[in-house]
Amino acid sequence: MSKTPVGEIRPSQLLWTYGPGALIDLPNLSVVTMGIDRWEKDRCQPIQEARLLANVRSALGPQVDSLRMPPISERDIVDPFSAAALIGVPVKPFPRWLRCVKCGLLSPYDAGLFKLKENRYRPELTRFVHEGCRGSKNDQRARDADAVPARFLMACRAGHLDDFAWNWFVHGGPSDCRATLRFFESGASLQTENLWVKCDGCGASKNMAQAFGQAGRDNLPGCRGRHSHVDRFDDDCAEEPRAILLGATNSWFPVTLSVLAIPQTGSPLIQLVGDGWTFFEDVSSPDKVDLAVKMLKKAALLPGIEQFTNDQIWSAIVAHRNGTTEVGQSDLKGPEWDILTAENPPTDYPHFMSKKVGIPSGFEVTVRRVLLLERLREVNALLGFTRVESPDEGTGDAAAPRAPLGRSAPDWVPATQVHGEGIFVRFDSDALKSWANTEAVKSLDARLRTGHRGWRHKRNLDPNEGYPGARYVMLHTLAHMLIRELALECGYNAASIRERVYAEVDGDKDQAGFLIYTAAADSDGTLGGLVELGKPENLGRLLHQALDRAHICASDPLCSEHDPSKDQSLHGAACHACSFVSETSCERGNRHLDRALVVPTLEYPDAAFFRNV
């Protein structure tokens, strides 16, 4: 087949929504993004972030040498038929099975029953057609009919994705019948009970309700271990395949790591040289510094480097080269906590600029520090993906099961960087310790822990790992409440505001705080709205509003009475009406929340950290 451009997506979507192995629903086709070994690496601009790269290497292997932006060009076009597209990211049609919208013919696109029809003037509208279709019984005129992707697929928790086993399903197992299949609807609704597949040869038929639940386990074959994005089959997959719908959100979940770009040195110039070391590592003499700086200015990279002379930059290059040490794997949040809680946090223009402000009135006992981050940079890296069930986000568990990005071990991974602003709030550790030792908190913590164990046990995971503790749940819930208030006034939409909770207490660590920040690709720089609301007079008002709203939820008493130990869930008194936010905003996917640990509720009046506010 010839190369045919069929659509375009934003580069940032290749990390969060349509990465390797994800399905893209185009106007007339459904395609899967190919593995990164098929991408044009030279078109992917490198991102410098040593801390994140060290942790990515720990997860994927020492062969990973860089973090890179998705390919960027004037027009990022995806190509469904070639793994060597001249621009953009290669994809291929998936699922292979198509259905004629008139006669219901069900067949793979490469079986010869459907033909690709190109649009010379609108390439993105290229489509498959069933030529000479006779239509339904009521319309026997021969005409071309559109063929659309079959809406059912099979996936498993090991990350495999395959075409639905139509022949196996309709015949109840292996069969010698090779007649064509038909997909049709009966009844007024489109429930699975009213969707049927039928064999034209032997007349066998089955409705799609029998592909789900326990019936699906009996009617579907074992998983073939297919990684459709790399054209590979794994041997002996032990997971049970499940029927999923085309376009369902559980078909692809990214596994990512993210860090804040924090100053690593006391010198702004040395920090700049370190951030852009890719451009300076080949500079061998002072005479070549000017050329490197001109290239950076032309590309609008490393803003601030123009403030220094060539001699100063050369001295910084020599200092960096002589003192370069490999950054090792570390706790991703630990170094950030140290910088955010430092007496005088260093500045790294334009990536990190902060200002300390006063404590909001009424919170002097519980809050120890408020830091306004006027500039910050977040870097995210894609490690792989899961299907059917989302990963345990935010735990930093880089060794969690995931599907691969390519056929072989990658030497680079897709990454993005975004700039924004934020508010950091540090709480009093002694007050949190006293609160955590009360009997009411211990009782509620035990219920949350029991629900966590049950949730992991159902998924064949170690039930004794992953529970973050009552301190984390309280801080996480309060962060959500504040995000909901900030979204009403700061000028950013709610999905553009994110959180980063610091609640590690293992060993000698005693973290107690959270960072609420903007990190959206369409907000390069800052609007200033979030920092403005971090000032004492505004933050105090917003905290009071958040706590007042949380006392009574629109879903009470059901929300306040929810017991996670009974239904094996990961949240207590929390729901969309009071505590949930956009999943792009939450580092845990709206897990580990309970407003009863923040404010008194109808069911648990004695476990709240803010009882008298």
Side-chain angles (χ1 to χ4, degrees):
M1 293 183 179
S2 61
K3 299 175 182 178
T4 306
V6 292
E8 57 183 286
I9 55 177
R10 297 191 303 274
S12 62
Q13 290 179 297
L14 288 171
L15 189 75
W16 298 108
T17 311
Y18 301 127
L23 296 174
I24 305 177
D25 191 17
L26 298 170
N28 297 307
L29 292 172
S30 174
V31 297
V32 62
T33 307
M34 302 295 285
I36 62 172
D37 50 339
R38 305 286 187 89
W39 295 18
E40 293 185 80
K41 181 179 177 181
D42 293 341
R43 291 184 178 271
C44 302
Q45 179 182 332
I47 298 175
Q48 301 300 318
E49 180 48 56
R51 262 195 327 124
L52 182 57
L53 180 58
N55 283 271
V56 170
R57 284 174 173 166
S58 175
L60 300 181
Q63 78 284 346
V64 180
D65 59 18
S66 60
L67 312 172
R68 293 177 176 269
M69 293 278 288
I72 299 175
S73 64
E74 294 182 358
R75 180 178 177 87
D76 280 320
I77 304 177
V78 292
D79 180 346
F81 308 115
S82 172
L86 295 178
I87 52 177
V89 174
V91 300
K92 69 175 183 179
F94 195 87
R96 293 172 56 249
W97 286 74
L98 304 176
R99 174 181 64 89
C100 176
V101 297
K102 283 191 174 182
C103 67
L105 176 65
L106 193 64
S107 174
Y109 70 80
D110 53 0
L113 299 180
F114 300 113
K115 182 179 179 180
L116 184 67
K117 192 171 185 179
E118 298 185 13
N119 188 318
R120 293 179 58 187
Y121 306 103
R122 297 285 302 277
E124 69 274 11
L125 297 183
T126 294
R127 58 196 175 102
F128 282 101
V129 296
H130 181 201
E131 289 187 317
C133 177
R134 292 290 180 178
S136 63
K137 294 180 179 179
N138 299 325
D139 183 7
Q140 292 296 316
R141 291 175 295 175
R143 62 180 69 175
D144 292 349
D146 286 342
V148 297
R151 68 181 77 172
F152 294 93
L153 304 167
M154 293 198 308
C156 79
R157 295 194 304 174
H160 300 125
L161 181 68
D162 206 348
D163 288 292
F164 190 82
W166 295 104
N167 278 303
W168 178 294
F169 176 71
V170 73
H171 293 113
S175 173
D176 294 331
C177 181
R178 293 294 181 266
T180 55
L181 304 180
R182 303 279 171 176
F183 187 92
F184 62 95
E185 304 163 359
S186 65
S189 70
L190 295 181
Q191 295 177 331
T192 52
E193 293 85 353
N194 297 330
L195 302 178
W196 293 79
V197 57
K198 182 178 180 180
C199 176
D200 286 341
C202 62
S205 63
K206 199 168 286 185
N207 70 60
M208 295 308 300
Q210 299 179 62
F212 295 87
Q214 182 57 49
R217 297 186 182 94
D218 298 333
N219 292 321
L220 295 178
C223 180
R224 297 195 300 170
R226 183 181 186 183
H227 286 304
S228 53
H229 64 300
V230 293
D231 295 325
R232 190 182 76 192
F233 290 83
D234 291 340
D235 297 330
D236 302 324
C237 177
E239 293 288 344
E240 289 185 347
R242 306 184 189 185
I244 64 171
L245 292 175
L246 180 63
T249 56
N250 65 345
S251 66
W252 193 83
F253 297 103
V255 178
T256 61
L257 288 179
S258 66
V259 299
L260 296 181
I262 56 175
Q264 301 291 317
T265 70
S267 168
L269 177 54
I270 292 179
Q271 182 69 45
L272 278 172
V273 170
D275 292 340
W277 186 241
T278 300
F279 305 98
F280 292 116
E281 61 181 341
D282 295 329
V283 176
S284 56
S285 67
D287 299 335
K288 296 182 179 180
V289 171
D290 188 58
L291 178 60
V293 172
K294 287 181 178 179
M295 291 175 60
L296 289 169
K297 289 181 180 179
K298 184 177 181 180
L301 299 173
L302 285 187
I305 195 69
E306 68 278 358
Q307 301 175 7
F308 302 93
T309 66
N310 290 347
D311 291 339
Q312 290 175 322
I313 296 173
W314 171 248
S315 298
I317 292 173
V318 173
H320 181 88
R321 183 173 288 141
N322 293 337
T324 296
T325 57
E326 184 72 17
V327 177
Q329 181 197 11
S330 64
D331 172 21
L332 290 175
K333 292 183 178 180
E336 297 171 12
W337 174 260
D338 294 339
I339 291 293
L340 294 171
T341 57
E343 184 63 28
N344 295 302
T347 295
D348 176 21
Y349 179 85
H351 300 320
F352 189 91
M353 299 177 63
S354 63
K355 180 174 68 175
K356 186 178 178 180
V357 295
I359 306 299
S361 176
F363 294 90
E364 293 84 358
V365 176
T366 54
V367 177
R368 285 188 54 189
R369 179 188 184 95
V370 177
L371 192 69
L372 303 183
L373 299 183
E374 298 170 320
R375 296 280 297 188
L376 61 83
R377 178 175 70 117
E378 182 189 36
V379 185
N380 304 278
L382 179 66
L383 300 183
F385 61 90
T386 65
R387 302 195 194 275
V388 180
E389 290 182 356
S390 62
D392 196 5
E393 294 122 340
T395 63
D397 183 9
R402 58 184 177 272
L405 295 174
R407 293 182 66 90
S408 58
D411 59 359
W412 67 280
V413 296
T416 61
Q417 61 179 352
V418 288
H419 295 81
E421 57 178 327
I423 305 171
F424 172 71
V425 182
R426 181 182 184 182
F427 294 85
D428 187 87
S429 296
D430 293 334
L432 282 168
K433 290 176 183 176
S434 300
W435 162 79
N437 287 327
T438 62
E439 291 302 319
V441 174
K442 289 180 179 178
S443 175
L444 191 52
D445 182 51
R447 294 190 179 191
L448 290 167
R449 190 181 297 273
T450 301
H452 173 82
R453 287 175 175 170
W455 185 88
R456 289 183 67 88
H457 179 73
K458 287 193 299 184
R459 290 157 177 79
N460 298 318
L461 302 172
D462 187 346
N464 297 316
E465 294 184 357
Y467 180 63
R471 176 184 293 197
Y472 181 93
V473 177
M474 191 283 292
L475 292 172
H476 189 204
T477 309
L478 179 60
H480 277 217
M481 295 174 180
L482 188 55
I483 286 175
R484 292 164 69 99
E485 293 297 323
L486 288 167
L488 299 176
E489 300 189 33
C490 70
Y492 294 101
N493 66 71
S496 296
I497 306 175
R498 299 193 65 186
E499 66 178 1
R500 203 163 178 85
V501 182
Y502 303 89
E504 187 64 57
V505 294
D506 291 339
D508 59 350
K509 297 178 181 178
D510 191 16
Q511 301 175 3
F514 56 70
L515 171 66
I516 295 177
Y517 63 101
T518 62
D522 58 353
S523 60
D524 190 20
T526 65
L527 297 178
L530 199 62
V531 165
E532 180 66 24
L533 293 180
K535 295 179 178 179
E537 62 275 15
N538 294 326
L539 184 59
R541 171 177 56 85
L542 292 170
L543 282 170
H544 280 292
Q545 289 177 193
L547 296 175
D548 288 342
R549 292 183 200 271
H551 280 87
I552 302 295
C553 170
S555 296
D556 279 341
L558 294 177
C559 179
S560 62
E561 293 177 352
H562 178 242
D563 187 349
S565 64
K566 293 181 178 179
D567 64 356
Q568 300 178 336
S569 61
L570 294 178
H571 64 85
C575 66
H576 287 282
C578 62
S579 305
F580 287 1
V581 296
S582 167
E583 290 199 1
T584 60
S585 301
C586 179
E587 68 176 12
R588 293 271 189 161
N590 281 326
R591 298 162 174 165
H592 304 299
L593 298 166
D594 194 338
R595 60 189 171 92
L597 293 174
V598 182
V599 296
T601 62
L602 299 175
E603 187 71 12
Y604 302 103
D606 302 322
F609 181 67
F610 296 96
R611 296 187 61 185
N612 302 315
V613 176

